[in-house]
Amino acid sequence: AGQSIIGILEVTESDFAKNLAREETEEENAQSEYEQITQENKISRTMKEQDVKYATQEYKALDKTIAELSSDRDSVSTELAAVMDYDAKIKERCIAKPETYEERARRRTEEIAGLKDALAILEDETAGGAFTQRGKHGRRGRHFLSLEPRG
């Protein structure tokens, strides 16, 4: 009976040794897997932190560029408005505008009235001898504005 108890204890010890070896192997594998995942997580975290750093730098650079371009756009818009205003003023001065019939008739009437006044003045002065012409021998004769043929 002592022998059978010792046999049972040896079998039990052998089973415990196998189970212990298997558990230690599984524990080592799990520890190795944990360390590998931890290392991958560290690398991933470092990469993501770098991505955030670069994205932040890029967004700051883009914000600066946006501010500069907005300022440039405002300046160019102001300049364009001034140029367009100047262009409109130049066109207003340079482009001939058709006159209405009434304006042309009024202008022609004023011109005719002015010519009639000038003719009246010339006729008055001619009557007084202001525009008479003297020949070589000092004789008074024709007007220099007269329509009579020279002779």
Side-chain angles (χ1 to χ4, degrees):
Q3 196 62 324
S4 70
I5 293 179
I6 291 182
I8 293 176
L9 287 175
E10 286 176 353
V11 170
T12 305
E13 178 187 15
S14 171
D15 287 343
F16 278 128
K18 284 181 192 177
N19 286 338
L20 179 63
R22 189 177 68 230
E23 288 297 322
E24 286 177 349
T25 304
E26 287 177 7
E27 181 65 30
E28 286 175 6
N29 289 340
Q31 181 65 30
S32 174
E33 186 178 340
Y34 170 77
E35 288 173 0
Q36 182 181 358
I37 290 173
T38 301
Q39 185 64 28
E40 289 174 0
N41 287 343
K42 285 181 183 178
I43 292 171
S44 176
R45 180 180 177 147
T46 302
M47 289 175 61
K48 288 178 182 176
E49 286 173 350
Q50 287 298 319
D51 288 347
V52 167
K53 178 181 171 184
Y54 293 134
T56 302
Q57 287 176 348
E58 183 178 1
Y59 120 82
K60 287 180 180 178
L62 289 174
D63 275 354
K64 182 179 177 185
T65 302
I66 287 171
E68 290 171 356
L69 291 175
S70 294
S71 174
D72 290 349
R73 186 192 70 218
D74 292 344
S75 298
V76 168
S77 295
T78 303
E79 186 176 346
L80 175 64
V83 167
M84 295 303 287
D85 186 43
Y86 181 73
D87 183 51
K89 288 178 183 176
I90 293 293
K91 284 181 181 177
E92 185 178 311
R93 288 185 200 163
C94 294
I95 295 176
K97 297 175 191 113
E99 289 181 308
T100 63
Y101 174 77
E102 290 79 20
E103 289 174 9
R104 283 184 288 161
R106 181 191 51 79
R107 197 179 70 222
R108 294 277 192 260
T109 304
E110 289 174 0
E111 186 177 346
I112 290 171
L115 290 172
K116 284 181 180 178
D117 289 345
L119 181 61
I121 290 171
L122 288 175
E123 286 175 349
D124 287 346
E125 288 179 0
T126 302
F131 288 104
T132 56
Q133 194 175 25
R134 296 177 185 250
K136 289 182 182 180
H137 302 294
R139 62 182 175 171
R140 288 185 92 131
R142 302 170 307 157
H143 296 115
F144 78 97
L145 294 175
S146 72
L147 298 176
E148 298 172 9
R150 286 186 175 183

